[in-house]
Amino acid sequence: MSNLIKEIKNLPYTAVSHSNMLWNKTGSWRHIKPYYENKIAHCTSRCPCGNNIAEFILSASQGEFQKGYEIIKMTSPLPGVCGRVCYHPCETYCNRGEFDEPIAIQMIERFLADYMSDKGRIIPEIAERKNKRVAVIGSGPAGLSCTYHLALKGYSVILFEAYEKPGGMLRYGIPSYRLPKDVLDREIKDILDAGIELKTNTRLGNDFSLDNLEEYDAVYLAIGSNKSRSLGLSGESADGVFSGLEFLERVNSGEMVKLGKKVIVVGGGNTAIDTARCALRCGSEVTVVYRRSRNEMPAWQEDVDDALEEGIKLVFLTSPTEILFEGGIFKGIRCQKMELGEPDQSGRRRPIPIKGSDFTIRGNNIIVSIGEEPEISFLNESFEVKDKKVVTDFGGFSGVRKVFVGGDLVYKSSATVASAIGSGKSGAESIDFFLRNEEIKAKEEQKITEFEDLNIDYFSPAGKIVLSKSDVNERVKDFSEIVRGVSSEEVIYESERCFSCGLCTVCDNCLIFCPDMAVKRKDTGYEIDYDYCKGCGICFEECPRNVISLEREIKYNGNKRKRKKNK
Amino acid sequence: MAISVKEKRINDQQSLLLEGTYAVAYAVKLCRVKVITVYPITPSSAIAERLAEMVGDEELDAKYIKVESEHSAMASLIGASHVGVRTFTATSSHGLAYMHETLHWASGARLPIVMSNTNRSLGSPWSILAEQTDSLSQRDTGWIQFYCESNQEIFDTIIQSYRIAERVYIPAMINMDAFFSTHVLENIVIPSQEMVDSYLPEFKPKIKIDLNKPSAFGGVAPGDSYFEFKYKMEEDMLKAVDVAVKADNEFEEIFGRKYGIINCYLCEDAETILIMTGTAAGTGRVVIDNMRKKGKKVGLMKIRLFRPFPSRAIIDVLKNKIKIAVIDRNISRGVGGIFAQEIRAAFHNTKYHPPIFGFVAGLGGKDITPEQIENVLNYTIESDYPDREAYWLDIDV
């Protein structure tokens, strides 16, 4: 009895251990295992250039604009271009779009590019020089991107360009009001400054052939879709008739093309809208004739809206049947009204002519912008060609010795600037594998963070910045850029709206919530101490941005009763 | 004429017209509580609201944790109190019931958490009005329990409770009647911060979480030590009676008010004593006055401290009385009112055995009227012995 009382006196008033409890490795209780792993944001997964969007926005949100710019430069040499002319699928798939409004990703990219424009040339580190030479044919977005990435890998590159200046469709196809030439020049100069040999006015098929390129270890063919399709009507050679690309090329070369008062543009794609708006800026009244309805137009909605706002007339469900000319001079078109039938291969409803609906539209000029295709007459039969484009494997290899193909020339390419840039990058990677005598590897499947993967309890609603355009009455007078830039404050605000999906922002939530203190900080993120992690999963649950994943610890089948087989 | 330090201090106090809930909040603020977690519940919610305002307005330097349940509220305070800071929560009725297991943990871990509970009926059927069954259901959780009559008493008992709880390392629950206290305005004397600081020095527990000396708290108690921990706690709980008396006396020295662990009204020469708790005790005193005028030798005892049960103090007053009547605004189904049972038990091992009449009244916020109370006393005086555990007012009497 007395011993007991003595013992009680020695007890503390509350149950507290004499030493720490580290001996108690509670990790053995775990059957679900969390692990720390940055994932790909939904936006990034949709970027044809493969830009690490969540990462450069995170840098921008911290005011580290140069760092953000450098991150883009890892994947794309043309942020100023994409920041203006990309159709931004990133914004379409921005997870924040399901919460309130998507992040203005394109504008952030444009800002970073413009911000760095006067800060000197910044490109990622160039790998050790390799004693291999690659010929890149075509200096459009695909060729430029391939050149850039090859140069970064240490290869010597010679870049062939048919026209006077490099840039391809970026220079001769896209009008300055969407992409100012100084932006393009600046970014091309940055690429060429990596020691690229540029040969302009050198057209494949005219000035040289593929056979002349034996001295190069690899060839990258990215000549683009540089030929306008024709209507197939007689009179297309009449005075006053232009093809869309020809017209754009002349306008973009700085020529004020002389047009009559009334201009008819045929087509519903981006070229049609661009030609229409250029013709408007040349001082004409413009009518766009398209054989389907607005819903089926391949042109970007935003550009169509802009065109309408600028006073361009759109005539839908109308198709030219005859070109009217007198004395070799264009006078107008005979048209037929159309109605929409069943969907065709493109998934859009097929236009069907309405009998007896013919009518005439008078005009001084017609610009035919019904699509483009590559000029491939120089290709020999060893190339597999479908729909006037070259069939390649996933790495861009044509099947013909050391010739890789990229950009719009590739069969089933999506014919956008961003996809061309992405194609150039993957082409450079394939060429690198090829020149190192390694097998070209397909990209590993990446884990993508979608809206459902986020814990949105941690985010509050905040509206997108307002993007503005120059006044409609002013902007039609010349070719100056329409979309206005934004301030650094606006960019920081907008970047702070970013959820950083799948990207650890070191917010400490996992660390704070872990009941076992098993989440530890390390330099750039966290690690989990599996000696103590019980696998409760709260870190997974409370991570706002899906950086923590769960997996089953073990698959235990010991209790499964083995069924007796019926004999 | 010179005034004493004590008088000067008393003159430093201000008066504010406050509901019971706000009285609690003001007291908590003066106690310099560092962590507050509250899950709102009628009629206690205004305590949480006022405290949140005080924290929001930076009048009170405390961490206010929003929780998703009363269970979490208490669990959070258990963590906070282990760190060695003063903590507070407020609840009522179902909220308190929901805390049940954490109440055991808090007391077992010897954490001097202070909590206000507004006595409200438990469903079913649904009621939000006054009844003490909620807190009395928690009587075995090892918490000190006070039952208060006025808003001033509530205010002062909060301050006293921190002093008591922190001396014996046992949590304290301050109970008040739903609506009769919580939603009734009363002139409250608010002491200066300086006065409260002098009464309630900074809380410095002997054992707390120390990052330099990592330890586990409340782990498995091997061998006999669980039993021994419980013994130690019981020792300290019993000591708490004297600690409470002392705390009340010291409180009077600084603030000029005193309540006693029990409060007796005209008991000295009384033959029949009525025992009541909470706000209804005030009505009881009016009845005592009236019956005294009619020549009846009656007195009233209000029990303020319920856990630890102050048996000795109660027996000292009641031992030579002829009869005792207890009005309970609570019920332990099958034995009647809980205070009546506790008093019967207190007498059991003494040589005094006055008849103890138990009355159950006012459940679900039903008024306990002067007429009822007079009936109770007359019935007690006129009857020799009670013939049942409890009479239900207006039904049985």
Side-chain angles (χ1 to χ4, degrees), chain A residues 177-178 273-274 276-281 284-286 302-313 469-478 480-483:
Chain A
Y177 59 82
R178 288 211 285 131
I273 295 301
D274 283 343
R277 294 173 75 188
C278 284
L280 183 82
R281 281 163 175 76
S284 304
E285 285 172 22
V286 184
E302 201 187 323
D303 282 353
V304 179
D305 288 338
D306 282 349
L308 286 169
E309 203 184 19
E310 289 168 7
I312 287 165
K313 203 176 144 197
K469 293 177 182 172
S470 51
D471 179 71
V472 64
N473 297 317
E474 289 302 314
R475 75 185 186 214
V476 295
K477 289 177 186 166
D478 57 25
S480 55
E481 186 165 24
I482 292 175
V483 179

Side-chain angles (χ1 to χ4, degrees), chain B residues 191-203:
Chain B
S192 66
Q193 184 67 58
E194 186 201 352
M195 290 164 76
V196 177
D197 287 347
S198 69
Y199 179 73
L200 209 57
E202 195 188 336
F203 172 44

Side-chain angles (χ1 to χ4, degrees), chain B residues 6 10 160 199 245-259:
Chain B
K6 183 177 160 186
I10 290 169
Q160 287 189 10
Y199 179 73
V245 171
K246 199 167 165 238
D248 196 32
N249 292 336
E250 290 161 343
F251 189 85
E252 189 192 17
E253 280 174 30
I254 296 175
F255 302 90
R257 293 182 298 278
K258 176 183 165 130
Y259 299 93

Side-chain angles (χ1 to χ4, degrees), chain B residues 85-299:
Chain B
V85 293
R86 208 163 269 159
T87 55
F88 177 80
T89 187
T91 190
S92 179
S93 182
H94 290 271
L96 184 65
Y98 194 19
M99 277 182 189
H100 180 74
E101 63 138 340
T102 51
L103 296 181
H104 278 285
W105 193 278
S107 63
R110 307 298 298 274
L111 302 170
I113 296 164
V114 170
M115 165 165 66
S116 71
N117 176 61
T118 54
N119 285 129
R120 166 188 144 176
S121 322
L122 283 150
S124 164
W126 196 243
S127 168
I128 55 167
L129 303 177
E131 187 186 316
Q132 296 164 332
T133 311
D134 57 353
S135 56
L136 290 169
S137 297
Q138 308 299 338
R139 64 178 186 178
D140 301 334
T141 55
W143 282 58
I144 294 166
Q145 284 198 9
F146 282 104
Y147 288 82
C148 296
E149 180 184 345
S150 69
N151 290 359
Q152 185 74 56
E153 187 179 329
I154 292 165
F155 179 92
D156 291 342
T157 305
I158 296 266
I159 298 169
Q160 287 189 10
S161 290
Y162 278 107
R163 188 169 171 111
I164 300 162
E166 288 165 13
R167 286 195 175 174
V168 293
Y169 295 104
I170 293 174
M173 186 190 302
I174 294 89
N175 294 289
M176 67 197 80
D177 286 337
F179 295 96
F180 297 122
S181 286
T182 58
H183 287 58
V184 171
L185 285 164
E186 196 184 301
N187 197 32
I188 307 286
V189 177
I190 309 278
S192 66
Q193 184 67 58
E194 186 201 352
M195 290 164 76
V196 177
D197 287 347
S198 69
Y199 179 73
L200 209 57
E202 195 188 336
F203 172 44
K204 284 182 184 161
K206 279 187 249 168
I207 300 172
K208 61 172 188 169
I209 289 176
D210 179 355
L211 293 180
N212 297 318
K213 186 179 167 290
S215 309
F217 289 76
V220 176
D224 294 329
S225 57
Y226 184 90
F227 191 78
E228 290 147 18
F229 275 121
K230 294 297 149 180
Y231 182 84
K232 270 182 101 79
M233 183 176 169
E234 180 64 0
E235 261 190 334
D236 287 342
M237 187 61 144
L238 294 171
K239 266 187 224 160
V241 177
D242 292 336
V243 173
V245 171
K246 199 167 165 238
D248 196 32
N249 292 336
E250 290 161 343
F251 189 85
E252 189 192 17
E253 280 174 30
I254 296 175
F255 302 90
R257 293 182 298 278
K258 176 183 165 130
Y259 299 93
I261 53 174
I262 55 170
N263 169 282
C264 298
Y265 184 65
L266 304 180
C267 286
E268 263 177 40
D269 64 335
E271 291 169 356
T272 301
I273 301 289
L274 173 63
I275 296 178
M276 294 182 79
T277 52
T279 49
T283 318
R285 281 192 207 92
V286 174
V287 175
I288 298 294
D289 283 344
N290 289 341
M291 291 183 73
R292 282 274 175 174
K293 281 178 200 155
K294 294 174 191 167
K296 304 257 168 95
K297 289 203 160 178
V298 290

Side-chain angles (χ1 to χ4, degrees), chain B residues 315-389:
Chain B
I315 300 293
D316 276 351
V317 177
L318 299 182
K319 61 189 175 190
N320 293 318
K321 305 304 177 191
I322 296 169
K323 281 177 199 161
I324 294 157
V326 184
I327 298 180
D328 270 297
R329 183 174 240 150
N330 57 73
I331 174 82
S332 173
R333 255 68 56 130
V335 291
I338 294 166
F339 279 91
Q341 293 303 325
E342 295 272 340
I343 289 160
R344 283 173 189 142
F347 270 108
H348 192 82
N349 284 341
T350 67
K351 55 188 174 181
Y352 316 104
H353 294 289
I356 298 170
F357 290 73
F359 298 88
V360 171
L363 301 184
K366 194 170 183 286
D367 279 340
I368 301 175
T369 62
E371 294 73 32
Q372 283 177 337
I373 296 170
E374 195 164 342
N375 279 348
V376 161
L377 280 165
N378 285 333
Y379 187 89
T380 305
I381 293 164
E382 285 157 20
S383 311
D384 291 337
Y385 276 93
D387 58 4
R388 63 191 79 176
E389 296 281 6

